[in-house]
Amino acid sequence: MNYSKSFKTCVFQKYATFKGTSTRSEYWWFWITYWCVLIGLPIVSFLLDNMGIKLYFLMVLWAIGSVGLAVPFVAVSVRRLHDGGFSGWHFFWRAIPIIGNIITIVLMCQPSKHKSNIPSSNQDKLFCHYCGKHIGDLDGNFCKFCGKPL
């Protein structure tokens, strides 16, 4: 997954979707976006302010961006935890300063614990990456719960 696909998926398709999974690349590309908004815009505004240029719209853009991206950031984090085989409640380790962030970074780096969506010769698809449900037997190419293609 690339940057633009990750952003489109997290912001426009799965804005507040906490069920299902997200890949490591989807999570980390969106993580970069989120932190560029949180840190990058204030730095640019500060540097331009030191040069005598007042750009209040950058700070307004920062406020809108940080609030607007908070929900998709939590959602993609919870989906990433699900993909690693963990409960979404592990996201709240972030409430503990420093150590909590280290714990969540380690959890986010874990490989996927679910079978791939790509069918292999003798392997049934048992897990839907969209809705997060256990499919069981393979009934065609669509999830029997959410109807999305596998």
Side-chain angles (χ1 to χ4, degrees):
M1 179 170 287
N2 60 21
Y3 169 78
S4 63
K5 187 173 180 183
S6 172
F7 187 80
K8 286 179 197 175
T9 301
C10 292
V11 175
F12 298 114
Q13 296 171 354
K14 297 181 179 180
Y15 183 84
T17 303
F18 294 91
K19 291 183 179 180
T21 62
S22 65
T23 62
R24 279 188 283 190
S25 62
E26 179 183 348
Y27 172 77
W28 288 110
W29 279 117
F30 192 75
W31 185 87
I32 289 169
T33 303
Y34 185 69
W35 285 102
C36 283
V37 168
L38 283 182
I39 295 172
L41 285 175
I43 289 173
V44 169
S45 181
F46 176 76
L47 293 173
L48 292 174
D49 187 45
N50 283 345
M51 294 172 21
I53 303 170
K54 302 283 185 193
L55 295 174
Y56 294 110
F57 74 92
L58 272 180
M59 294 315 290
V60 171
L61 184 64
W62 173 80
I64 292 169
S66 61
V67 171
L69 293 177
V71 172
F73 178 72
V74 174
V76 75
S77 298
V78 168
R79 291 193 314 267
R80 176 68 204 121
L81 286 166
H82 291 166
D83 190 55
F86 303 103
S87 167
W89 291 103
H90 285 288
F91 179 78
F92 290 107
W93 283 111
R94 290 185 181 266
I96 302 170
I98 301 170
I99 294 173
N101 287 323
I102 293 169
I103 291 170
T104 54
I105 286 172
V106 168
L107 293 177
M108 298 299 180
C109 290
Q110 298 301 310
S112 176
K113 299 286 190 230
H114 300 290
K115 293 186 178 187
S116 173
N117 264 354
I118 302 170
S120 64
S121 57
N122 295 325
Q123 175 183 349
D124 288 341
K125 297 176 198 166
L126 300 174
F127 185 79
C128 176
H129 279 241
Y130 293 102
C131 68
K133 301 252 181 172
H134 179 72
I135 297 170
D137 297 331
L138 187 60
D139 273 347
N141 294 326
F142 295 91
C143 175
K144 58 187 172 185
F145 297 104
C146 68
K148 296 207 177 184
L150 297 173

